[in-house]
Amino acid sequence: MAVLTDSLGRVARKLRISVTDRCNFRCQFCMPTHPVWLPHSEILTFEEIYRVASLFSRVGVENIRLSGGEPLMRRDIEQLVELLAGIPGIRGLSMTTNGFLLAEKAPSLKRAGLKGITVSLHSLKPERFSQITGGGPFEKVIEGIKAAKASGFSPLRINAVIIRGCNDDEIADLASLALEGDVTVRFIEYMPFDGERHWGVDKVVSGNEIVARVRERYALVPSPRPAGSTAQLYEFEDGKGEVGIITSITQPFCSDCDRIRLSADGKIVPCLFDKTGFDLRPLLRTSGSDEAILNFMRNAILQKAPGVETLLKKYQQLEHIRPMHTIGG
Ligand code: SAM
């Protein structure tokens, strides 16, 4: 069957599924302090997610990442992992999590077939971590990372969103977590997806500046960037590990973007910077045929924007897009 191709010839190979909009943290750069949750009835069931993911795999999607909200807050998430791991053609199955429930869930997630884990960790100072995450317990997240290491997840990554005046003094310290080579640390440029609209260009620390700050302590060698990758990686000259930068703001990587997203309430979102999506749920819930759903997907991807710049031009300025927890990052 023909692969899912957009109007510029980019093929969708990676599907990011938000399994819930709910989260037990309140990261200021991601969501409002008092979010309005989606009604349960609007959130896709495991069977619906499985069906959509299976159809995506029939048209070329090979990798799935589960996100949220906080994916580990979705009850019995291991059941969904097991279903998705069994889809023929799915080679990579991973999750992005805040790590709060990871210590207890890492072994069962591994058994269910999850391969990779990315844990968000924005500070190594417990008090600051708690402040950034709206009360997140630092030690519990560190335990989660240790449990993920012990369970043998690969790839195992740490994501840190860097915000000027907040945690940019910790860039080299965070990078040092990657020195042993058992985890990759990736720094994300702050994007306009926060809940309380604190975002501003002045708070963005560019990927170039992040690399320069790491280089004040460690020599780095850039690695070739695989097509479709969100991160530019660098190896430590004197270590085993690597760090990366995700430069969605200063150097967007749209020309070979191979991602497509499914929101918790069943919208296909071709680009992270889209303000709306294509609502697949009515079709799913009115016994739409597989062919009708595949046609819907084909139409949605054809409307994928050429890149972040085009969308930002459309919105006239770099402005608040939406809270990140509604789409999953
Ligand atoms: N709850 C999970 C977590 O904390 O990792 C998964 C969902 S979270 C929305 C997915 C990723 O998006 C996280 O790595 C988070 O740090 C990142 N993120 C959230 N808001 C962001 C923003 N405004 N700019 C850049 N990255 C952001």
Side-chain angles (χ1 to χ4, degrees), residues 74-89:
R74 180 87 190 242
R75 193 180 305 149
D76 300 324
I77 187 71
E78 297 87 343
Q79 287 177 12
L80 178 65
V81 169
E82 201 169 339
L83 282 172
L84 298 177
I87 298 176

Side-chain angles (χ1 to χ4, degrees), residues 29-30 67-70 96-98 120 122 159 161 188-191 193 324 328-329:
F29 50 78
C30 180
S67 186
E70 172 47 41
T96 303
T97 170
N98 62 29
S120 300
H122 316 288
N159 272 358
V161 178
I188 311 179
E189 289 180 351
Y190 185 17
M191 294 184 265
F193 292 97
M324 182 72 104

Side-chain angles (χ1 to χ4, degrees), residues 3-4 11-17 52-65 84-94 113 115 227-228 258-260:
V3 291
L4 211 51
V11 177
R13 296 286 183 200
K14 299 177 187 138
L15 172 65
R16 296 202 177 178
I17 304 175
V52 176
S54 303
L55 289 171
F56 267 118
S57 94
R58 272 174 47 190
V59 286
V61 165
E62 297 166 344
N63 290 285
I64 294 178
R65 173 170 296 277
L84 298 177
I87 298 176
I90 295 301
R91 296 191 290 140
L93 180 58
S94 52
K115 291 185 178 147
D258 57 1
R259 283 169 296 285
I260 189 150

